[in-house]
Amino acid sequence: MMKIDQKFPFPTDVETAIALQQKLRHQVITEDQFGTIKCVAGIDVGYSDSDKITQAAVAVLSFPQLELLEQSIVKRSTSFSYVPGLLSFREIPAILDALEKLNITPELLLCDGQGLIHPRRFGIACHLGILVNIPSIGVAKSHYIGKHDSVGLEKGNWQPIIDEEEVIGAVVRTRAGVKPIYVSTGHRISLTTAINYVLKCTTKYRLPETTRWADKLASN
């Protein structure tokens, strides 16, 4: 079983949560710090019962084959209100429960959400990566903050996303002629490497297989 020390502070008020982000953001590593990747995990979260229940899903896939090896789904009461920029405090408690049920420890996490593409440079991919000390990538479906030039229409084309003169992520075309996605470093991985892994995890669809599997599980 994947062992996780869950003795982490999870504040329930906005001011304390923002202060914790400001503190932890300095622990984010934006360089590659990992070895051979043999399995990757997609992580997504859904809600039910008028958002009172949080359902976290983790799908572990072999890499580069992208075959499903294991899955984990956990439900628990939602303990943090929806506040833009503080999604991790709402979702990570359930994600940690789901990760702890795994028999396979993934070597790379692809989170349905942001990493450094965040006002305080501490999206859910950064927060989760630091807590479990596993390389992580933010893979988001929509634009959040920052500006970028137009991205080419072919798969693999990308443009940096810039906010306050800082490159915080990239808009990436994962399928020709289809809306791009937004990729950013979470923890222990560089942006260029993150983009490469996201593209390698993407087959014939817009979203990487990790996200597609996790989204399907979280929505059930």
Side-chain angles (χ1 to χ4, degrees):
M1 301 289 285
M2 184 172 172
K3 297 298 181 182
I4 297 175
D5 178 5
Q6 291 209 35
K7 297 177 182 178
F8 306 118
F10 276 100
T12 56
D13 65 280
V14 171
E15 292 76 14
T16 306
I18 291 175
L20 184 58
Q21 285 185 333
Q22 296 285 20
K23 177 182 177 181
L24 294 178
R25 61 180 286 189
H26 301 293
Q27 298 181 26
V28 173
I29 296 171
T30 58
E31 298 175 351
D32 298 332
Q33 289 193 0
F34 57 88
T36 302
I37 302 294
K38 295 182 179 180
C39 61
V40 296
I43 297 170
D44 197 7
V45 172
Y47 298 91
S48 60
D49 191 17
S50 300
D51 288 354
K52 294 178 182 177
I53 301 298
T54 302
Q55 178 166 301
V58 180
V60 181
L61 278 61
S62 61
F63 185 85
Q65 299 86 358
L66 302 179
E67 296 174 350
L68 184 66
L69 300 176
E70 189 177 9
Q71 63 187 47
S72 174
I73 305 173
V74 165
K75 294 182 179 181
R76 65 179 289 168
S77 297
T78 305
S79 57
F80 199 95
S81 300
Y82 173 74
V83 179
L86 298 178
L87 188 67
S88 61
F89 297 96
R90 184 174 169 89
E91 299 190 346
I92 284 182
I95 293 172
L96 292 177
D97 287 348
L99 286 171
E100 200 163 40
K101 289 179 60 179
L102 294 175
N103 292 304
I104 300 171
T105 300
E107 292 137 348
L108 179 63
L109 308 176
L110 279 73
C111 302
D112 182 27
Q114 308 288 357
L116 291 180
I117 301 176
H118 185 275
R120 289 173 291 281
R121 310 297 185 255
F122 200 73
I124 189 170
C126 300
H127 199 162
L128 182 63
I130 284 177
L131 293 186
V132 299
N133 196 28
I134 294 176
S136 57
I137 303 171
V139 184
K141 304 180 189 75
S142 57
H143 179 263
Y144 185 21
I145 63 169
K147 298 180 180 180
H148 61 82
D149 292 335
S150 297
V151 61
L153 295 177
E154 296 303 314
K155 178 177 179 177
N157 290 162
W158 64 274
Q159 288 288 339
I161 297 173
I162 300 172
D163 184 55
E164 298 180 354
E165 300 183 353
E166 177 185 4
V167 175
I168 59 173
V171 53
V172 182
R173 189 80 66 184
T174 53
R175 184 181 177 189
V178 173
K179 286 196 307 182
I181 62 174
Y182 301 82
V183 177
S184 56
T185 292
H187 185 49
R188 291 177 54 192
I189 191 167
S190 66
L191 177 59
T192 301
T193 303
I195 294 168
N196 288 337
Y197 271 99
V198 169
L199 288 171
K200 288 177 181 178
C201 288
T202 306
T203 56
K204 58 183 179 179
Y205 301 100
R206 175 193 177 213
L207 300 176
E209 291 301 294
T210 44
T211 302
R212 281 169 33 80
W213 269 105
D215 179 73
K216 186 187 304 182
L217 294 172
S219 301
N220 289 340

